[in-house]
Amino acid sequence: MELTFYVAAAVAVAATLLVITCYNLIHALLYLVVSFLAISVVFFTLGAPFMAALEIIIYAGAIVVLIIFVIMMLNLTYEDVQHEKQWLTPGVWVGPAILCLVLFGELIYIVTTDNTAASAVRAVDAKAVGLSLYGPYVLGVELSGMLLMAGIVGAYHLGRQKKKVIHRFLEQEAAA
Amino acid sequence: MESGLLLAGILFMLGLISVLIRRNIIFMLISVEIMLNAAGLAFIVAGSHWAQPDGQVMFIFILTMAAAEVSVGLALILQIYHRLKTLDSDAANLMRG
């Protein structure tokens, strides 16, 4: 179980590194799917099989495919990859990367110095999650339903194209 | 416990670096997804440490929020691309209605 966790964690970190250093958007998304699958394996080893399934279905399935659909609608070309290469010069990424690594060093310090008693993995099954979700957290479920509704309406409103107001007879006149 | 939290921290830092250094607006959205996923991983690790379902419930809420956020964000990206004909996030700094 430990070995599985470490292998999946290494795969996840490597795939995420490749995502953030890739120039081509589609290649980056494929690495992102690999990263999500590896994190799903991590969830299995942590005793959360239901969340592993949700990770694959929603993140690797729905969200990434949604982004791919939008990229297909944008109709990007090889020149956009070259643009991306121009935008990502070393002068741009060195400063923020060093600052983030300092933050990460602090995080390692905080996590490793806290020596509480380690416990074995105990699986939390889907039934307990469901009972908790519709017991004490039912208000959160209703609120997330409202959030999804607002997301649907907002996405429809923002993604709508402007219709042409010219009537089709007038359009024929304008063409002639 | 520590290794799981460290993995979440590494992934969150990678997402943070990417959202700071990228100018392509779709890459920034992907980085936000990576960061949300890392936060959810931290919740799962905590829930597995105390053997409580609350961490997984929070992960479900994060998942819901990520789905709503990515749909609205992609609609905004489509509008920006149609108006400005570019994916450069610096080009969208004018806020002219």
Side-chain angles (χ1 to χ4, degrees), chain B residues 25-88:
Chain B
I25 200 160
I26 296 183
F27 270 108
M28 293 171 77
L29 190 74
I30 291 172
S31 318
V32 172
E33 290 302 310
I34 294 172
M35 288 164 72
L36 281 174
N37 202 23
L41 176 63
F43 271 114
I44 296 271
V45 170
S48 130
H49 183 249
W50 284 294
Q52 295 289 322
D54 304 69
Q56 303 192 15
V57 170
M58 288 312 291
F59 180 74
I60 290 180
F61 289 154
I62 288 178
L63 211 60
T64 313
M65 207 265 300
E69 176 253 342
V70 81
S71 58
V72 175
L74 285 172
L76 276 172
I77 287 174
L78 274 181
Q79 282 294 330
I80 286 173
Y81 191 73
H82 283 138
R83 299 264 169 101
L84 302 174
K85 302 293 175 211
T86 179
L87 287 174
D88 188 359

Side-chain angles (χ1 to χ4, degrees), chain A residues 141-170:
Chain A
V141 174
E142 290 175 5
L143 283 176
S144 54
M146 281 186 211
L147 178 72
L148 282 177
M149 191 71 210
I152 290 172
V153 175
Y156 172 71
H157 179 73
L158 288 171
R160 200 176 37 173
Q161 305 280 341
K162 274 279 190 301
K163 272 184 189 166
K164 281 194 280 186
V165 289
I166 302 175
H167 193 267
R168 58 181 189 279
F169 297 143
L170 296 177

Side-chain angles (χ1 to χ4, degrees), chain A residues 27-141:
Chain A
H27 297 175
L29 277 173
L30 289 177
Y31 285 126
L32 189 67
V33 170
V34 174
S35 164
F36 285 154
L37 292 181
I39 292 172
S40 156
V41 175
V42 169
F43 286 171
F44 261 112
T45 62
L46 288 172
F50 184 46
M51 292 308 120
L54 279 188
E55 170 92 13
I56 292 178
I57 293 170
I58 296 182
Y59 264 116
I63 290 180
V64 172
V65 170
L66 202 63
I67 299 175
I68 286 178
F69 281 160
V70 168
I71 292 169
M72 286 153 82
M73 285 169 75
L74 292 184
N75 202 8
L76 298 176
T77 56
Y78 182 68
E79 291 159 17
D80 292 288
V81 180
Q82 296 304 115
H83 270 163
E84 192 63 30
K85 219 167 185 168
Q86 287 170 5
W87 288 345
L88 206 65
T89 51
V92 174
W93 61 265
V94 164
I98 289 174
L99 292 179
C100 285
L101 288 180
V102 170
L103 279 181
F104 180 58
E106 277 189 342
L107 198 89
I108 288 178
Y109 176 72
I110 290 170
V111 168
T112 51
T113 49
D114 182 22
N115 43 11
T116 51
S119 64
V121 170
R122 283 163 294 180
V124 181
D125 59 344
K127 188 182 172 187
V129 177
L131 280 175
S132 181
L133 197 60
Y134 286 96
Y137 287 102
V138 70
L139 195 64
V141 174

